[in-house]
Amino acid sequence: MPIPASSLPRQMLRRRPVSGAQVAGGTSNHLRRSLGGFHLTMFGVGATVGTGIFVVFPQAVPQAGPAVVVSFILAGAAAGLAALCYAELASAVPMSGSAYSYSYATLGEVGAVVVGACLVLEYGVSTAAVSVGWSQYLSKLSLNVFGLAIPQAISSAPGESEGGVVNLPAIILVAICAAMLIGGTSESAKVNAVMVVIKLGVLLVFAVIASTAFRADRFADFTPFGFSGISWAAGTIFFSYVGLDAVSTAGEEVRDPQRTIPRAIIAALLIVTGVYVVVAVAAMGSQPWQDFEGQNAGLAVIVDNITGNRIGSTVLAAGAVISIFTVTLVTMYGQTRILFAMGRDGLLPASLAKVNRRTGTPVTNTVIVAVVVAILAGLVPLQRLAEMVSIGALTAFIAVSVAVVVLRVREPDLPRGFRAPGYPVTPILAVAVCGWILYNLHRYTWMAFTAWMAIALIFYLAWGRRHSALDGGQNGSGAGSGEVIADPPSE
C-alpha cells in the first residue's frame, strides 16, 4: 500500500530539486548577483584569517603546547578535505544556504534542518566569539595610543574576568557590521577586500618581528600533553577555519558561480593555512608556550616583549582590530544567508527571506541576527563560544562530505564545474577526520549541542514540516505533493 504524501516519513525524506525551484509564499526568489572571484576569495580569507591567530591561538596553546602547530595543520587538513567537497557541491548546486542547501538537495528535509541548525549555531556563535576577541585588541590599542584601557566592567563578559559586566565594544562592532550588510553586499565586499589585504600585511610584520626572538629550544618539549592535547587543541582551532563555509553561502550573489565558488574556496584555504602555520611557528618560537595562558591580545603582547616598546604592538593591535572586523562582517553575512535560504524554503518564517528592493539584502533577518549575536557577545565568555562553533562546523562539514557521495550516486550526469579529486577517498577521509575531532570535544559542548539539536527538531516537527515550500498547501507557492522528489520509504 503506498504511503500518503503527507505522512511524516515522506515529509522528512523529501528533497528540494537541485534547481531550487520551489519557494515559500511571501519570500524573495533570488538575491542580487554582484560578486566576482577576487571579492569572493577575500570573503573566505576575511572570514577566516584573524579568528584563529588573533583570538583562538592563545586559548589553544595551553592545551597542546608547541604541538599546537600540528593542531593547526590537522584542523587545516580536515577543513581542506571538506573544502574540496564544498567546491564540488557549490559548482553543482549554486544556491544560497551552503551546506544546508546541499543537504536539502541530497539528504532530505530533516537532514537539511539538522545541518541548518548547525550552521545557525556555527555562524551566530562564531560572530559573537570573534566580537569578543575584537574587544580585547581594541582595549590594547586604546591603552597604547591613549594610555587608557577600556574598563573591564564594560569590555568583558561575566565570568570572563573579574569585574566583567558586559562587553560593550563587541556589541558596538556587531551593530556596525549589521548596518554595513543592510547597506548592500557589493559595498561590504569592497570594504572587506581592503581590510583583508591590510591584515595580511600586519601578520607578515608580526612574523618578521617574532623571528628576531626565535629560539628552537622552545620546541624541545613538543608534546607536553601527548596526542590527546593535540586533538583537544585541534577541536578548538577548527573554529579558525569555519569562515571557508562563508564562500558557499554566496551561491546566488556570485557571477558564474559554477566556476567562481570552487576556485574561491580552494584559494582561500591555501592562503589561510599558509598564514596560520607561518604565524604559529613564529609565535611559538618567540616565547615559552606556558606564557600564552590567559594572554589576551596575545600577539600584540609578544611584540611588546620583543621590541621593548609599544610601536610594533600598536600597529599589530590596529591590524587585529581591522582583521577581526572583517571576520565579524563575513560571518554575520553567512548567518543571514542561511536564514534567508531556510525562510525561503518555508522551514523558518517567511519574513526571514524578504529582500529590500533598494539594497537587495534581507534586512529583517540581519536585524534579528544582530540582536541575538550582540547578546551572546556581550554576556558569554570566549572559551565556551569557541567550542560551540567547532561542533556546529564539523557536523556541517561531515554532511557536505556525505552529500558529495550521495549526489554522485544519485545524479552522476549532473553538470559539475569542479569534481573533488581522489573520490571517493576524499569525502570518506573528510568524514573520518572531522568525526575524530568531534569525538575529542568537551562533554559540556556535546550536551549543549544535543540540546540545540533537540530544539531544532521539535520546531521542525511542530511547525516547519507543515510550512515547507515542498508541502504544497499552506504557503501557496510551493510544489504540490506530487512534485516532491523524495523516494517514499519502504514499508
Side-chain angles (χ1 to χ4, degrees), residues 433-457:
V433 175
C434 290
W436 177 69
I437 296 176
L438 274 173
Y439 176 77
N440 286 282
L441 293 178
H442 288 93
R443 181 183 300 176
Y444 67 75
T445 305
W446 274 104
M447 292 173 63
F449 179 72
T450 301
W452 174 248
M453 287 296 102
I455 292 171
L457 289 173

Side-chain angles (χ1 to χ4, degrees), residues 133-201:
W134 186 81
S135 179
Q136 295 173 357
Y137 277 95
L138 184 66
S139 183
K140 175 66 175 174
L141 183 62
S142 175
L143 178 63
N144 283 10
V145 175
F146 303 108
L148 182 65
I150 302 173
Q152 291 281 358
I154 60 170
S155 63
S156 299
E160 190 171 32
S161 65
E162 292 185 10
V165 176
V166 64
N167 197 324
L168 186 58
I171 294 174
I172 293 173
L173 173 62
V174 171
I176 294 172
C177 290
M180 290 182 63
L181 291 173
I182 289 172
T185 300
S186 61
E187 291 77 8
S188 300
K190 292 173 184 176
V191 172
N192 173 73
V194 172
M195 290 185 172
V196 167
V197 172
I198 292 173
K199 74 175 173 183
L200 291 178

